[in-house]
Amino acid sequence: MIDRLVIFGVGLIGGSLALALREAGEVGTVVGCSRNPDNLREAERLGVIDEWTNDPAEAARGADMGVLAVPLGAMEGLAASLAGIWPEDAPLTDVGSSKQAVLEALARGFGEVPRQFVPGHPIAGTEQSGVAAAFPELFRERLVILTPADATSVMATNRVTAMWQTAGARVEFMTPAHHDHVLAATSHLPHVLAFTLVASLSKMSDRDEIFHYAAGGFRDFTRIASSDPVVWRDICLANGPSILEVIERYQADLESLRQAIEQGDGQRLEQEFTHAKTTRDRFCDPARAQLDT
């Protein structure tokens, strides 16, 4: 049971977590804290939070669990405002998509990484943002990756693990560096590609006709280009080296495919497409994945 949960940045992720814990009956008071009073009033109206404040120090009083759900670029400033104030026995976690950057921000803000801080990343979300998009089932049967630092206490890790499991998630553990490498390939690169494709097509002279005739495949592929630009700006800056590494690999593979088209090499194209289909069916089709386990 979490008696007093503080969510810094009440949007899709933080709001959905609060709703999931409410539905499970495992949270008492939910406090929202951010710079935007209109968003906090909306969160209160929707029943996501019970009370709110714009002052991190006020939010921290009496807290026994905290979730940092702000963009990566705001993490250090928020950490600095909580230094010396956040209760030592209250676990603190985050939902950022780059764990090394978060640990560095917390170390700068607090002066060192707090023992009660457990870096985390729920592998869940939609292209929608804001508290109005929150719903309690968001984390059900989804992965949450925790990347405890060397200084992180076992107590804090256990409590944060239990919180996410209560919300319906499956918790796994990684080192921060490995997390950033894996997520650059599976999450960050797809978002970069979707944003870039839409932006590229929008600059073509016949863009209106292109988008008018866009079929379901285009809409499916580019859905994530509707994600929050500020969030993804910060992710690209925070995890730049890993993202650049996978972009360079993708560029090489795309060039190889371009050459196959240019040379009319149908066999090579079919081999690449068959390999891609087989791989995706194996790892992304729930029915096939169930058969494989």
Side-chain angles (χ1 to χ4, degrees), residues 12-17 67-70 75 93-99 102 118-126 137-147 160 163-165 167-172 179 183 186-188 191 231-232 235:
L12 170 66
I13 300 299
S16 295
L17 176 59
V67 179
L68 308 179
V70 299
M75 201 69 73
T93 188
D94 79 298
V95 298
S97 192
S98 174
K99 304 326 308 170
V102 168
V118 186
H121 180 204
I123 312 301
T126 72
E137 300 84 11
L138 179 61
F139 308 109
R140 194 164 295 169
E141 291 304 315
R142 303 300 294 272
L143 280 174
V144 170
I145 300 174
L146 300 183
T147 64
V160 170
M163 178 185 71
W164 283 114
Q165 289 173 336
R170 296 178 289 118
V171 177
E172 294 188 5
H179 166 278
L183 269 294
T186 59
S187 175
H188 304 169
H191 278 80
V231 168
W232 284 95
I235 289 171

Side-chain angles (χ1 to χ4, degrees), residues 3 62 88 133 146 148 194 210 219 243 262:
D3 293 325
E88 293 185 1
L146 300 183
I210 287 172
R219 297 177 189 277
I243 295 174
E262 183 179 59

Side-chain angles (χ1 to χ4, degrees), residues 48-241:
V48 175
I49 61 176
D50 299 297
E51 56 189 73
W52 59 270
T53 177
N54 300 127
D55 182 3
E58 182 181 343
R61 282 199 289 270
D64 68 338
M65 177 72 75
V67 179
L68 308 179
V70 299
L72 290 170
M75 201 69 73
E76 182 178 344
L78 177 57
S81 69
L82 294 174
I85 294 172
W86 187 257
E88 293 185 1
D89 60 347
L92 188 64
T93 188
D94 79 298
V95 298
S97 192
S98 174
K99 304 326 308 170
Q100 293 184 109
V102 168
L103 283 168
E104 291 167 3
L106 266 287
R108 291 191 297 266
F110 276 89
E112 61 181 0
V113 177
R115 295 188 69 254
Q116 69 269 43
F117 181 63
V118 186
H121 180 204
I123 312 301
T126 72
E127 72 277 15
Q128 303 299 317
S129 58
V131 68
F135 60 101
E137 300 84 11
L138 179 61
F139 308 109
R140 194 164 295 169
E141 291 304 315
R142 303 300 294 272
L143 280 174
V144 170
I145 300 174
L146 300 183
T147 64
D150 293 339
T152 302
S153 76
V154 174
M155 177 279 293
T157 300
N158 289 343
R159 288 196 61 199
V160 170
T161 299
M163 178 185 71
W164 283 114
Q165 289 173 336
T166 299
R170 296 178 289 118
V171 177
E172 294 188 5
F173 295 86
M174 285 185 182
T175 65
H178 187 53
H179 166 278
D180 290 358
H181 173 74
V182 170
L183 269 294
T186 59
S187 175
H188 304 169
L189 177 63
H191 278 80
V192 168
L193 296 179
F195 280 124
T196 304
L197 177 60
V198 175
S200 178
L201 295 180
S202 72
K203 298 168 188 174
M204 297 177 67
S205 59
D206 53 348
R207 62 183 179 276
D208 292 344
E209 187 176 26
I210 287 172
F211 287 115
H212 177 72
Y213 289 106
F218 175 81
R219 297 177 189 277
D220 290 344
F221 181 77
T222 61
R223 174 185 60 82
I224 53 178
S226 292
S227 301
D228 188 332
V230 173
V231 168
W232 284 95
R233 174 202 67 190
D234 288 355
I235 289 171
C236 287
L237 295 175
N239 200 28

Side-chain angles (χ1 to χ4, degrees), residues 21-69:
L21 295 175
R22 282 195 190 284
E23 189 175 83
E26 291 295 334
V27 68
T29 301
V30 181
V31 182
C33 182
S34 76
R35 299 175 180 175
N36 187 340
D38 291 337
N39 180 70
L40 293 170
R41 291 189 189 98
E42 177 71 358
E44 186 177 32
R45 185 188 70 80
L46 293 170
V48 175
I49 61 176
D50 299 297
E51 56 189 73
W52 59 270
T53 177
N54 300 127
D55 182 3
E58 182 181 343
R61 282 199 289 270
D64 68 338
M65 177 72 75
V67 179
L68 308 179

Side-chain angles (χ1 to χ4, degrees), residues 265-279:
D265 191 342
Q267 182 179 4
R268 185 170 159 196
L269 290 172
E270 184 176 350
Q271 287 175 343
E272 286 296 312
F273 295 160
T274 299
H275 174 70
K277 172 181 167 49
T278 301
T279 302

